[in-house]
Amino acid sequence: MKICGACELELPDGSYSVEQRGLRQSIRRCEECVVAGNQLVLMKKGRTRPEGDDCPICQLPLPLDFNQSSFNVCCMMRVCNGCTVAARKRGMWDCPFCRTHTPAEEQTLAMIRKRVAAGDPVAIYFLGQQYHFGTSELEKDMTRAVDLYEHAADLGVKDAHYNLGCLCMRGTEVEKDMDKAFRHYEAAAMCGHVSARHNLGSMESNDGNGDLALQHWKISAKLGHEVSLNKVKTLFMAGLATKADYAAALRGYQGAIEEMTSPDRDQAGEFTPSIINQM
């Protein structure tokens, strides 16, 4: 018995072609779904960014470049640089979202641990990052980092799935495991994680699955991922994607970029991230 990645039914092996039986569950389709052209669940979910990807102040989608936003440990919220600069111009020097006084560096870890103890999924993920990179006065500890990432992933934090996917794919800090990398990227992508979706396209391309790669890159391009757009363009120039594929990806990309743009963000772009953090 195998589960179909389109209808999600557990079906006898005879319900699949020999080719489909050899595929992993997320991209496997039973013969009935193949004939009907039923789309994989992996391709149906995560085609838009979730509300959690919006700046909590201006309600616009956060830029994909993390240098264009900042994370505040007091409220565990990421705020776009446009709103941060706008708040500073109005004389607000505390957290632009919750108005909490910016904690001293030695207080930061205590604040994080308090939220972790309360079961805050984002705080659990964030503490994992501190162990991963050896920041917030913590020594680098990959075992602890992975444990925290896995806990956060179980609680639905898509960034935790993404980081685990990156670790498993690279294999430099944890044991390389491409199957796990696929699973974590897929979980993140279905939650709307743009870079995870792009990476799935790259992995499928490396495995010779050009059609799947194109589908992934079209989705991530339409969510504002420039490298994905360039990948679709490359496929189009090589005759491996249609003009309609590239045109749709380009229109979606331009729309996503427009949604992430505002006068405040344009003005914030005149400053470097370090200057904004010092404001």
Side-chain angles (χ1 to χ4, degrees), residues 218 221-222 229 242-254:
K218 283 170 61 179
K222 291 176 182 179
L229 177 65
T242 66
K243 182 178 181 180
D245 287 329
Y246 178 57
L250 179 60
R251 285 195 302 271
Y253 172 80
Q254 291 171 334

Side-chain angles (χ1 to χ4, degrees), residues 60-61 63 254-266:
L60 296 176
Q254 291 171 334
I257 295 301
E258 185 176 348
E259 286 183 353
M260 291 185 279
T261 303
S262 73
D264 283 337
R265 291 183 181 183
D266 289 342

Side-chain angles (χ1 to χ4, degrees), residues 82-130:
C83 287
T84 298
V85 171
R88 301 296 182 255
K89 288 171 63 178
R90 292 194 293 269
M92 301 177 184
W93 303 103
D94 298 326
C95 171
F97 178 67
C98 70
R99 302 292 189 261
T100 299
H101 181 68
T102 303
E105 187 172 349
E106 60 271 15
Q107 297 175 308
T108 299
L109 186 57
M111 293 180 70
I112 298 170
R113 290 193 185 280
K114 183 177 180 180
R115 296 186 75 102
V116 168
D120 185 326
V122 177
I124 294 168
Y125 163 71
F126 188 73
L127 183 59
Q129 284 188 304
Q130 309 317 299

